Structure formats: C-alpha cells, structure tokens
Amino acid sequence: MKIESCELFETRFPMKAPFRTSFGAETNRRILLVKLQGDGITAWGECTSADAPLYSYETVDTCRYVIKTFLLPNILGKSFADIPGLRQTWAEIKGHNMAKAALEHAFWDGLAKERGVSLSSLMGGTRDKAAAGISIGIQESIPKTVEVVDGFLAQGFQRIKLKIMPGWDVDLIREVRRRFPKIVLTVDANSAYTIDQADTFRKLDEFGLLYIEQPLAHNDLIDHATLQSMIKTDICLDESIESVEDARKAFQIGAGRVVNIKSGRVGGGYESIQIHNLAQEKKIPVWCGGMLETGIGRAYNLGLASLPNFSMPADISPSFRFYVDEIVDPPLIPDARGEYAVPQGIGIGVAVQEQAIRKSMVSHEQFQK
Ligand code: OSB
Ligand code: MG
C-alpha cells in the first residue's frame, strides 16, 4: 500500500464511569486515531496512549509529536509491501512504542484490505472465537466490588480481573473468592508494590488466582523473578515487557509465567506476534490485554487474539462499557457465553464511522507528501 496521506484525529470520549487503577483514574479519555489513505484504500489505527504518563512514559501528545516529527516523514509518499518494510523506517528510533504501533496498526488494516483478507488471517490467526475477560477498576468498597463482579458474571465474562493496590488487596480478594469460589479470578497491581511487600503476594497464594499481573515496577524483571520464586501463583507480566527481547530475558530468568500482550506497549502487531511465538516455544501462555480502546482498537485486538497461543481470556469488554458513542459498525459485543466472534471481514472487519469520530474530535491534522 502506498501511504499518500495520513490524518490524525484527536478525540475526547467522556467515560461513563471513571476507570481507577493503582496509578490513578481515567475519566475523560483523549484518544488519537490514525487514518491512512493510498491506492484507493482507507485504513484506520488507534493509539493506545493515555493523556498522562502513568501507565508508561508515553502520552497522547508525545505520540502525536513523535508521529509527526520522526515517523511520518519517512513513510509519506512511499509504498510498503509488508510490515517489516514499514518498521524498517523507524528501526533506529528508540522507544515510543505506542506512537509506532498506532501507525503500524493502521498499516495492518491497509495491507489486509489491499490483499482482500481479514486482519486475523493476515496475522496468522487460527481461531474464529476469542474468550472475553473483564478488567474491573478499584471500586468504593468491597460490597460494591462484589456487586459489580456479579453483574459481569451474569453477562458471561469468562475471567474477572480486579485492580489492586496496597491496602486494597488481601481482604478484597478473600471476600470476592468467598462469594464466588469457582470463578477464574486474577488481580492486576499495575506495578504498585515493591519486593519487600512480598508477604501480600504470599497471602494471595491461598485464593487460587489464575495469575497476579504486574505486581512490581514497570521496568523491572529482576525483582519479579525473585518474587516468582517466593510464591506459587503465576506472575503475569504487562508493563515490563516492551519487546520480544524483554520477553526472552524474562523467560530466561523466570520473571513470570504468563504474558499480557498489548500491541501498543510493544510497538505493534509484528512485535506482538514475535512475543506470541517465543512464548509458545517456551510453553508460556499469553493473552491479549486492553487499553480502554474504542471499537477500532478492540477490533484489532480481536484479530491478534485469534492466534493460537492466546490461550487465556482477553481484556476485551465492549467499548460501550466505557463510552457513550460507538465509532464502528457493527459494534463488537461478546455473546452470552462470553465469547467474541473474531471479525472475518476484510481488514479490521468493522466499518469505521468517521461521522461519529468527528463528533468527538478536538483536533484534526492532515499530512501529505
Ligand atoms: O494494566 O491492563 C492494564 C487499562 C488501562 C491501562 C492499563 C490497564 C488497563 C486494563 C484494561 O486493565 C482494561 C480494558 O481495556 O478493558
Ligand atoms: Mg495490566
């Protein structure tokens, strides 16, 4: 596909309810959307960066800046026959994975459209269903959490993930486990603890969690390996894995036994597939994480989650859970058994409603060679 033009839409989607994690609450989400055009094809991508550098150092503004200043000038007006060709243009640019992934993401959609195939099949997907898990933010009380969990279980979600932080952990999980003895339950600390708080995780060992996600620092592997050797429950790495090289090192030292793959965090679908493949070779299960995406990002995640080693439920709740406005058609919704149909249409497999995007748009820029 030839990249004749690129448009950046900055949108603002008020959240129906704040999504609270150990690092803060998201209430009003700015989201950068990318539209590429060329050879008669229109392709879309979503940048997974948040407004503030709390999950990682990237922000909506750093992504926009890096895309405009360093990534686009090397690709505008050029044709790329495959993903490695595109990635080669930014091979020497360090970090800024979410900025790179936003462009790569749109290009995957474009390439799939050029070849007349679904994103899932272009990525090497082997299944047409993906199991849905749900990530539940920090609530005002334990009884309220129990009520929220109950509601999502009734909707069919196959795995419940609860955000934890110091002071909001063992008592919470004890009660949720008491009320729901059989459910698949996980926790996500978003790096809120240090290794000297290992005792908390020893206590969590008794609740039969599927895994404990990112207990320690966002850029740590060493302490995670120490912690993993001290507890029975598997550690799942999220923030700490930004590349296949990170994954290789993590597996080598035993820093975790599960990986949450988020395409934005690792710089795109190509790197995600490398991590998926290495993990498969090492018999490490992976699952597809989420970053509160709109339908565009969720559709992309479903394509990725159709690869064979995505063997645990994804963080893919429908985007109407967070946002009033839907920007893709048809909206992606799991069935009553908590399964999504992986889109089989060409490209990301859902139609993007530019009209709806423009309704929520706060700025728009167009770049052409
Ligand atoms: O750590 O998995 C995380 C959302 C924003 C930032 C970090 C995380 C999350 C989630 C995913 O838990 C929720 C979702 O997209 O449904
Ligand atoms: Mg996480």
Side-chain angles (χ1 to χ4, degrees):
M1 179 188 173
K2 181 169 182 194
I3 301 179
E4 289 164 15
S5 79
C6 174
E7 288 170 68
L8 297 180
F9 296 80
E10 182 193 327
T11 55
R12 191 179 298 266
F13 292 98
M15 298 195 74
K16 288 180 177 175
F19 187 80
R20 190 174 299 280
T21 60
S22 61
F23 56 68
E26 302 230 38
T27 50
N28 205 355
R29 202 164 152 80
R30 284 166 78 200
I31 301 180
L32 206 58
L33 300 171
V34 177
K35 177 182 172 187
L36 298 179
Q37 284 183 298
D39 294 333
I41 295 166
T42 298
W44 288 91
E46 177 166 344
C47 180
T48 61
S49 181
D51 215 353
L54 299 173
Y55 168 80
S56 79
Y57 66 82
E58 293 188 88
T59 71
V60 170
D61 294 308
T62 66
C63 286
R64 193 213 325 263
Y65 175 73
V66 168
I67 290 173
K68 278 163 58 165
T69 315
F70 300 109
L71 305 179
L72 273 183
N74 293 329
I75 66 174
L76 273 178
K78 295 190 187 142
S79 287
F80 300 95
D82 53 24
I83 302 287
L86 179 77
R87 284 165 51 90
Q88 191 53 39
T89 66
W90 57 63
E92 288 309 321
I93 294 174
K94 311 298 183 288
H96 298 285
N97 284 350
M98 293 180 188
K100 293 169 181 170
L103 284 178
E104 201 211 77
H105 177 182
F107 190 76
W108 274 101
D109 182 36
L111 195 61
K113 284 170 174 163
E114 184 174 65
R115 297 189 189 173
V117 298
S118 68
L119 178 70
S120 164
S121 84
L122 184 61
M123 288 187 145
T126 53
R127 53 178 115 214
D128 56 7
K129 293 272 165 55
I134 191 149
S135 173
I136 299 175
I138 292 167
Q139 307 292 312
E140 68 205 31
S141 68
I142 293 176
K144 175 73 190 169
T145 311
V146 168
E147 187 189 313
V148 170
V149 169
D150 201 34
F152 285 126
L153 289 170
Q155 290 174 39
F157 287 96
Q158 297 187 14
R159 179 270 282 145
I160 298 289
K161 158 171 145 184
L162 297 176
K163 294 288 187 179
I164 57 167
M165 61 189 284
W168 181 257
D169 43 39
V170 178
D171 291 345
L172 168 76
I173 302 307
R174 180 181 298 113
E175 179 60 9
V176 171
R177 187 44 107 196
R178 188 181 74 76
R179 298 289 295 265
F180 307 102
K182 298 234 170 77
I183 63 168
V184 180
L185 185 61
T186 74
V187 295
D188 186 358
N190 286 108
S191 60
Y193 298 81
T194 56
I195 188 70
D196 41 80
Q197 291 163 303
D199 222 35
T200 300
F201 300 101
R202 280 211 199 86
K203 289 182 187 147
L204 289 178
D205 259 346
E206 82 179 84
F207 304 118
L209 301 175
L210 181 62
Y211 51 76
I212 294 169
E213 186 173 339
Q214 196 69 31
L216 309 179
H218 69 99
N219 54 0
D220 167 77
L221 291 176
I222 307 282
D223 284 351
H224 278 98
T226 306
L227 181 63
Q228 182 66 91
S229 72
M230 297 167 73
I231 63 175
K232 286 186 297 189
T233 311
D234 291 346
I235 289 177
C236 169
L237 296 170
D238 176 351
E239 284 90 327
S240 291
I241 305 295
E242 293 188 344
S243 63
V244 66
E245 272 298 280
D246 287 345
R248 178 180 66 74
K249 292 170 193 170
F251 301 160
Q252 189 173 313
I253 66 170
R257 301 187 193 128
V258 178
V259 181
N260 165 339
I261 297 184
K262 291 178 184 168
S263 169
R265 191 192 70 226
V266 305
Y270 190 88
E271 195 80 13
S272 300
I273 295 168
Q274 308 298 303
I275 296 170
H276 163 276
N277 293 349
L278 178 68
Q280 189 165 34
E281 207 181 293
K282 304 282 180 200
K283 302 198 162 40
I284 302 236
V286 304
W287 56 278
C288 183
M291 289 293 283
L292 314 176
E293 292 92 344
T294 70
I296 297 178
R298 293 303 213 205
Y300 183 79
N301 290 350
L302 281 173
L304 184 61
S306 70
L307 271 72
N309 191 36
F310 280 85
S311 49
M312 290 176 172
D315 267 346
I316 311 188
S317 48
S319 44
F320 69 67
R321 173 192 175 205
F322 304 124
Y323 312 113
V324 176
D325 292 312
E326 190 59 70
I327 61 170
V328 301
D329 183 41
L332 297 163
I333 300 169
D335 65 21
R337 297 204 316 273
E339 281 194 332
Y340 280 91
V342 174
Q344 300 299 322
I346 289 172
I348 57 173
V350 289
V352 174
Q353 312 292 101
E354 192 170 324
Q355 222 86 315
I357 292 173
R358 286 180 181 270
K359 249 180 68 192
S360 305
M361 186 171 87
V362 291
S363 81
H364 175 244
E365 291 175 281
Q366 181 158 17
F367 306 89
Q368 242 156 334
K369 181 103 189 205

